[in-house]
């Protein structure tokens, strides 16, 4: 009872949202709010210090390069030591690097090399954090709740990304971008403190291995031994690269030259963000039986934004296709995480996740670097049609892999009071029968 005699409100948490899952989701929201504002702040800090677009690109590349270089090592380490310790250590590194970046910007006259170094440290932290975080998330839910849990987690992350970008932009308009970087540092500190309370008692102790290289080989064998896994990662190495080039390089140029400036492109990106939220909400209820077939079919619409920019469609049409692509990429994302959770042994989750991340982002820096020369060679419209065609071709090729078409959601056998045995999907069927 409250002091006034009014019953204290009881916030009912879903049965599948356990303590670890709740801590991970809360921490992800906090860092999402800080990080997506800080990405904008870093660019404006470079420009404020007298840099140009090329300098902004160098600082962005300084974040991406360590992510690619250290992902595999980060995955191996996260399968050797308790994952929450890796996550907290990575958050601490991010906190310190962002705090130093904020101090330099607020003090005035930061040097380009200093900003690149601190951003590289932040990228290094993310390289160790991402595989550990994905493994920890997958071990925090059971097979019965995996899809719904992953959908809600992704919806929370996307909501934080949209809110963080909006909040960061508003703060930059009103004050020094260094304050946004300081907020990001504080967010990493709070999130790291939350992650320190994660309970890993349910995770079996890992046997001593033969060393880091041995662990990497085991992860590679797990990865390459599953055709559905390596084929989709190979597909996404191309899809992520061309979509990234289209949206980070060609999109702003089309908006400037054909659509009236940055505001229409902002509307289109916002529509994509809303689409991801709607897609995650859809996947909290929809449980496709053929996980990878449904997910892969939903990759085809990722070709639509490039095609829309090639035409180009007016703002309303572009926003519509961005919304659709946002919805469908979430169908793939949740299906993919559910398949990994279902098929990969718990003790190898972080290493497999590292190979997944590495394969998906490895070609992105190259694609963004060559986007300009390709445009000069063949023209912007042809380059965008090429991006759309590559998405379609790579996705169609993956459908020829039998495991991609046939991998199904596992079912659980449920005994009911009558003594009959029923087969139900493993995502809450028992609750529906009860």
């Amino acid at each position: 009872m409250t002091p006034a005699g009014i019953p204290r409100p009881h916030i009912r948490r879903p049965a599948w949202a356990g303590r670890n899952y709740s801590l991970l989701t809360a921490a992800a929201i906090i860092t999402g709010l800080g990080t997506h504002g800080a990405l904008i702040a870093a660019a404006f800090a470079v420009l404020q210090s007298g840099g140009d677009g090329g300098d902004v690109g160098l600082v962005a590349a300084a974040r991406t390069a360590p992510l690619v270089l250290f992902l595999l090592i980060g995955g191996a380490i996260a399968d050797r030591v308790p994952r929450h310790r890796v996550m907290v250590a990575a958050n601490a590194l991010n906190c310190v690097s962002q705090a130093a970046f904020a101090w330099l910007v607020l003090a005035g006259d930061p040097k380009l090399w200093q900003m690149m170094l601190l951003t590289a440290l932040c990228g290094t932290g993310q390289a160790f954090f991402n595989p550990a975080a994905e493994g920890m998330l997958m071990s925090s839910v059971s097979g019965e709740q995996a899809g719904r849990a992953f959908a809600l987690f992704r919806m929370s992350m996307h909501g934080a990304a949209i809110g963080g970008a909006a909040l960061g932009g508003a703060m930059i308009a009103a004050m020094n971008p260094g304050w946004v970087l300081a907020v990001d540092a504080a967010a990493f500190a709070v999130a790291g403190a939350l992650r320190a309370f994660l309970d890993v008692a349910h995770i079996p102790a890992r046997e001593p291995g033969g060393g880091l290289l041995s662990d990497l080989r085991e992860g590679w064998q797990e990865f390459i031994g599953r055709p559905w896994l390596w084929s989709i990662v190979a597909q996404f190495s191309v899809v992520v690269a061309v979509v990234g080039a289209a949206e980070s390089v060609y999109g702003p140029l089309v908006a400037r030259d054909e659509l009236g400036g940055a505001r229409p492109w902002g509307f289109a990106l916002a529509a994509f963000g809303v689409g991801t939220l709607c897609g995650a909400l859809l996947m909290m209820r929809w449980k496709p039986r053929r996980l990878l077939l449904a997910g892969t079919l939903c990759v085809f619409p990722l070709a639509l934004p490039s095609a829309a920019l090639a035409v180009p469609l007016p703002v309303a049409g572009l926003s519509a296709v961005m919304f659709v692509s946002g919805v469908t990429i979430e169908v793939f994302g949740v299906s993919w995480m559910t398949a990994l959770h279902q098929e990969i042994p718990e003790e190898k989750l972080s290493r497999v996740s590292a190979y997944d991340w590495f394969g998906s982002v490895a070609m992105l820096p190259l694609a963004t670097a060559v986007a300009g020369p390709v445009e000069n060679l063949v023209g912007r419209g042809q380059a965008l049609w090429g991006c759309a065609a590559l998405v379609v071709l790579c996705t169609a090729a993956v459908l020829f892999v039998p495991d991609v078409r046939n991998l199904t959601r596992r079912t659980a056998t449920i005994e009911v009071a009558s003594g009959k045995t029923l087969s139900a999907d493993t995502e809450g069927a028992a609750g529906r029968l009860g």
Side-chain angles (χ1 to χ4, degrees):
M1 302 288 284
T2 63
I6 301 173
R8 189 181 303 276
H10 177 65
I11 299 175
R12 187 175 180 180
R13 187 171 62 187
W16 45 265
R19 179 174 178 272
N20 275 6
Y21 177 84
S22 299
L23 285 171
L24 288 166
T25 303
I29 292 172
I30 292 169
T31 51
L33 287 169
T35 298
H36 287 84
L39 291 173
I40 302 172
F44 276 89
V46 174
L47 297 174
Q48 181 178 280
S49 67
D52 56 16
D55 294 330
V56 173
L58 288 174
V59 173
R63 175 186 289 270
T64 306
L67 185 63
V68 175
L69 288 173
F70 295 114
L71 264 172
L72 298 182
I73 297 174
I77 290 176
D79 275 341
R80 290 176 67 88
V81 302
R83 294 185 182 117
H84 71 308
R85 293 183 182 176
V86 179
M87 297 166 70
V88 172
N91 284 168
L93 177 59
N94 289 144
C95 175
V96 171
S97 62
Q98 290 297 78
F101 197 171
W103 181 82
L104 285 174
V105 174
L106 291 172
D109 196 30
K111 307 300 182 186
L112 179 62
W113 70 266
Q114 294 172 324
M115 293 186 284
M116 290 179 64
L117 175 61
L118 292 171
T119 303
L121 288 175
C122 198
T124 301
Q126 288 303 112
F128 285 87
F129 175 85
N130 288 343
E134 192 154 309
M136 193 72 202
L137 175 65
M138 291 184 184
S139 69
S140 72
V141 297
S142 71
E144 296 179 358
Q145 302 90 18
R148 181 173 292 183
F150 297 149
L152 179 59
F153 183 83
R154 290 173 67 91
M155 184 166 62
S156 302
M157 287 183 60
H158 293 311
I162 295 170
L167 179 62
M171 290 180 65
I172 292 167
M175 60 186 70
N176 191 302
W179 290 113
V180 180
L181 295 168
V183 169
D184 188 35
F188 276 118
V190 174
L194 288 175
R195 288 162 177 148
F197 289 100
L198 291 168
D199 182 9
V200 296
H202 66 288
I203 300 176
R206 290 166 175 78
E207 296 294 332
L212 191 63
L213 290 178
S214 176
D215 284 353
L216 287 172
R217 282 195 298 270
E218 283 186 15
W220 173 252
Q221 290 166 358
E222 188 73 35
F223 175 80
I224 204 66
R226 300 176 185 270
W228 62 268
L229 180 57
W230 62 256
S231 63
I232 289 181
V233 171
Q235 169 205 9
F236 266 79
S237 69
V238 177
V239 170
V240 169
V242 298
V243 170
E247 295 190 358
S248 65
V249 179
Y250 299 138
L253 294 175
V254 172
R256 182 194 66 186
D257 298 339
E258 306 287 347
L259 302 178
R263 185 181 296 271
W265 184 236
F267 286 146
L269 293 176
F272 177 83
V274 174
T276 61
L277 292 176
C278 292
L281 187 61
L282 168 66
M283 292 304 289
M284 289 188 68
R285 293 194 172 273
W286 184 39
K287 306 178 216 11
R289 181 170 176 271
R290 295 194 180 187
L291 287 166
L292 297 181
L293 178 61
T296 300
L297 290 174
C298 284
V299 177
F300 282 108
L302 290 186
L304 294 176
S306 296
L309 289 168
V311 173
L313 290 182
V315 178
L318 176 61
S319 298
V321 299
M322 292 288 281
F323 173 82
V324 170
S325 65
V327 172
T328 56
I329 193 58
E330 280 307 293
V331 174
F332 170 82
V334 174
S335 299
W336 178 247
M337 291 186 72
T338 306
L340 291 176
H341 176 268
Q342 173 179 291
E343 300 294 326
I344 305 302
E346 193 281 332
E347 69 275 8
K348 298 178 182 178
L349 278 172
S350 290
R351 278 169 286 176
V352 170
S353 174
Y355 280 107
D356 176 18
W357 275 87
F358 178 82
S360 297
V361 304
M363 291 180 62
L364 181 58
L366 175 63
T368 54
V370 303
V374 170
E375 179 187 8
N376 294 333
L377 182 64
V378 302
R380 187 185 303 162
Q382 294 302 316
L384 283 163
W385 283 119
C387 291
L390 283 171
V391 171
V392 171
L393 290 173
C394 290
T395 305
V398 165
L399 291 175
F400 284 96
V401 179
D403 287 350
V404 172
R405 299 193 308 272
N406 299 327
L407 190 145
T408 58
R409 188 184 302 271
R410 287 183 184 167
T411 58
T413 299
I414 301 172
E415 296 289 341
V416 295
S418 65
K420 295 179 180 178
T421 300
L422 300 178
S423 178
D425 71 62
T426 59
E427 296 214 9
R432 290 197 299 273
L433 290 170

